Amino acid sequence: MTTIGESLIALLEHHGVDTVFGIPGVHTVELYRGLAGSKIRHVTPRHEQGAGFMADGYARASGRPGVAFVITGPGLTNTITAMAQARADSVPMLVISGVNALASLGKGLGYLHELPDQRGMMEKVALSSARVESAAELQPAIDRAFALFRTGRPGPVHIEIPLDVMGKEAAPLKPIETADLPESDHAAVVAGARMIAQAVRPIILAGGGARHAGAALTALAERLDAPVVLTANGRGLLHRHPLVVPASPSLKSVRALIGSADLAIAVGTEFGPTDYDMYADGGFVFPANLVRIDIDAEQLDRRPATVKVEADSNAGLEAMLASLSDRAPPSGTSNGAKRAENCRNAARAELARLGAALPSQLQAVEAIRDALPGALIVGDSTQPVYAGNLYYDHDRPGGWFNAATGYGALGYGPPAAIGAALARPDLPVVCLTGDGGFQFTLPEIAAAVEMQAGVMFVVWNNRGYREIELSMRDVGVEPVGVSPAPPDFAKIAEAYSLPYASVTSPAELAPQLRITAKLPAMIEYRVD
């Protein structure tokens, strides 16, 4: 007899899953019955939140959904923070959990790991939450989850299987029906192309949703001679291109560039305040003429736009290029490359005015990029990451991501970097974390060592929550609680058998990175 738990593993294999992150418990034993004999690799984090963050990093690095197995109750609630981060950043994540026996649900009888309404709680965070109550419901639930990942704005999906259902006999598997991306709205594309063809000083705003559309985005930018402003999750697109502006729209210099344009084309960006108004000064003004391309109809309706094109970024851009092919180039002189260059120069100069330490923090990030071309830099909420989110030109799309935007979960970096390294063992992976945030998920080092995940943990040690301390001082609040004592990182590295080095400058950092590339290692960057 094949059980539902065994059938679940087979279904995941059919959908291309090769890695699962999870901590087994008595409430998920039956989900593990078929795992040992499968081709799926199991990775054991040290906390369920780590499982979720690893799945997130795996998904961003691989382009495929990250999968986590967690137990009923506390295992699932421990994963909620990671799911919320994935929801904010449109990361495909499948979380499969147990739940108590069907007859006990909602009755408050005091069973182990019981929640009043586990599925109801998850529906508030996940794109969808489904319960499998019979053998016939398993495959439709799994297939629907993967269809959601392929055809809409991705995010976390939750499926729960009751304890008394996991071990029952499974239903025969059916062929998987693939779901196609929705076609671009032709009328909206034509209307957008008509506006674009009349623009003299166009600009493009590209977010994380455009990461996979680099060729089409570059082609449209060059066709229009339009500067391309990248949000944090869009960094790496058009690396070193004359038209690229790898700077935050929260900077006054970038806002001035956007304000001078007579048309803006927004691709795969939600216009979130952590990108467009991180200082909460209300200074970002939506362009009067705005064409938006986004896969999510609800997202399109949340912000004003002149023309809204519901489409995958790549498909929408290609449709727009095709519609523009029979139209004359914009009249007048756009001077796109010069406008972009002036904005880049002004944005870097603005960093120094915002904070004396920001340029040196950016230099540390650039030292990582230059020492390890093509690396994935996975960040936590720490000062050099904030600096990079304000201005930084990464050298590969999707290679710069962190939790300092969107939901902003501290402790994200280390486990997410482990997931990314397991997804892409061919690439160097750097975790850029602070001494405070690192302590949120410090035990996950053990998983990196155990799985030989090639992560270089670069710990920005300024002995506390320095950014929060500065924020308190800026508004006249006496700092309290912002100086948690860091551990002795050299001894931490020794305890986990990690190579360790200590540096104090970008010049010292680069050679240490080259020495430890592709190894689990720790570099402590000590900040005065």
Side-chain angles (χ1 to χ4, degrees):
M1 180 186 83
T2 300
T3 67
I4 287 177
E6 290 172 308
S7 184
L8 168 67
I9 302 302
L11 275 168
L12 293 177
E13 282 190 314
H14 288 174
H15 280 284
V17 174
D18 61 12
T19 304
V20 165
F21 303 93
I23 300 177
V26 294
H27 282 191
T28 53
V29 168
E30 282 297 334
L31 298 185
Y32 280 76
R33 183 176 292 278
L35 198 54
S38 74
K39 297 177 182 178
I40 296 177
R41 167 180 55 180
H42 184 272
V43 179
T44 307
R46 285 359 185 211
H47 190 279
E48 287 93 356
Q49 186 182 88
F53 285 148
M54 287 180 192
D56 177 302
Y58 176 94
R60 298 198 206 211
S62 69
R64 303 189 301 275
V67 181
F69 278 10
V70 296
I71 64 166
T72 311
L76 188 57
T77 55
N78 282 343
T79 315
I80 285 180
T81 297
M83 295 176 71
Q85 185 71 49
R87 177 73 180 254
D89 287 344
S90 304
V91 177
M93 177 191 296
L94 177 58
V95 176
I96 300 173
S97 78
V99 72
N100 291 98
L102 277 171
S104 72
L105 297 182
K107 295 183 179 178
L109 300 175
Y111 281 91
L112 180 66
H113 302 331
E114 184 178 17
L115 284 166
D117 184 1
Q118 178 174 286
R119 184 182 171 196
M121 176 182 66
M122 298 312 298
E123 286 177 332
K124 304 298 183 182
V125 179
L127 295 178
S128 73
S129 179
R131 179 182 302 144
V132 174
E133 298 186 359
S134 68
E137 294 177 357
L138 176 65
Q139 182 164 358
I142 297 294
D143 289 353
R144 277 196 302 271
F146 282 89
L148 272 175
F149 298 144
R150 284 192 297 268
T151 60
R153 184 187 184 195
V157 173
H158 169 244
I159 296 174
E160 64 182 20
I161 307 177
L163 294 179
D164 55 341
V165 173
M166 296 177 189
K168 289 185 175 180
E169 184 172 1
L173 297 183
K174 301 175 182 178
I176 295 172
E177 296 182 6
T178 58
D180 296 324
L181 287 168
E183 293 185 4
S184 305
D185 183 338
H186 179 69
V189 169
V190 170
R194 187 177 298 116
M195 283 184 60
I196 292 169
Q198 296 171 354
V200 177
R201 295 181 312 282
I203 193 168
I204 299 173
L205 311 174
R211 284 193 305 265
H212 65 293
L217 181 68
T218 303
L220 182 63
E222 292 175 347
R223 170 81 164 81
L224 303 178
D225 191 26
V228 181
V229 175
L230 302 175
T231 68
N233 283 330
R235 301 294 170 79
L237 292 162
L238 283 86
H239 175 56
R240 291 182 176 168
H241 194 286
L243 292 170
V244 74
V245 179
S248 170
S250 293
L251 296 175
K252 292 179 181 179
S253 49
V254 180
R255 289 175 173 180
L257 173 68
I258 297 171
S260 69
D262 60 349
L263 172 79
I265 306 160
V267 187
T269 177
E270 66 176 1
F271 287 103
T274 52
D275 277 312
Y276 290 83
D277 193 20
M278 67 173 293
Y279 296 109
D281 60 10
F284 179 76
V285 178
F286 274 84
N289 293 319
L290 176 62
V291 176
R292 286 194 72 187
I293 300 174
D294 200 286
I295 198 169
D296 185 358
E298 291 183 3
Q299 185 58 246
L300 287 171
D301 289 338
R302 291 182 186 131
R303 307 288 188 184
T306 315
V307 175
K308 302 175 182 179
V309 180
E310 182 184 351
D312 166 75
S313 292
N314 193 63
L317 286 167
E318 288 183 344
M320 197 67 71
L321 281 163
S323 189
L324 283 168
S325 63
D326 60 347
R327 300 174 187 272
S331 59
T333 303
S334 173
N335 288 324
K338 188 63 178 176
R339 287 191 291 147
E341 180 185 12
N342 290 342
C343 187
R344 288 193 300 270
N345 293 337
R348 288 202 74 131
E350 190 175 344
L351 288 188
R353 296 194 298 272
L354 286 171
L358 281 170
S360 62
Q361 293 162 6
L362 177 57
Q363 287 171 11
V365 175
E366 291 175 334
I368 296 172
R369 176 198 62 198
D370 296 342
L372 302 172
L376 304 179
I377 303 180
V378 184
D380 217 303
S381 292
T382 190
Q383 286 185 314
V385 170
Y386 296 139
N389 282 347
L390 284 173
Y391 186 104
Y392 171 60
D393 188 11
H394 197 56
D395 61 359
R396 67 177 306 125
W400 168 264
F401 59 89
N402 55 76
T405 63
Y407 195 61
L410 199 57
Y412 166 88
I418 294 168
L422 293 173
R424 294 298 305 270
D426 56 317
L427 297 176
V429 177
V430 177
C431 169
L432 185 50
T433 184
D435 61 291
F438 199 11
Q439 293 179 73
F440 275 49
T441 49
L442 192 61
E444 301 304 350
I445 295 175
V449 174
E450 185 174 78
M451 302 303 299
Q452 284 297 288
V455 179
M456 286 156 281
F457 297 97
V458 177
V459 187
W460 187 265
N461 187 0
N462 54 22
R463 294 168 297 284
Y465 304 135
R466 191 66 59 209
E467 197 72 17
I468 306 304
E469 179 183 339
L470 293 173
S471 298
M472 286 181 164
R473 293 189 187 280
D474 285 345
V475 295
V477 173
E478 184 68 23
V480 175
V482 294
S483 301
D488 185 328
F489 286 109
K491 291 182 179 178
I492 293 288
E494 181 183 3
Y496 286 105
S497 301
L498 286 181
Y500 168 86
S502 174
V503 302
T504 59
S505 71
E508 294 177 354
L509 176 60
Q512 290 297 335
L513 287 166
R514 296 188 187 101
I515 291 170
T516 57
K518 307 300 286 291
L519 293 171
M522 184 187 298
I523 300 174
E524 182 180 1
Y525 195 117
R526 295 182 179 177
V527 183
D528 288 336

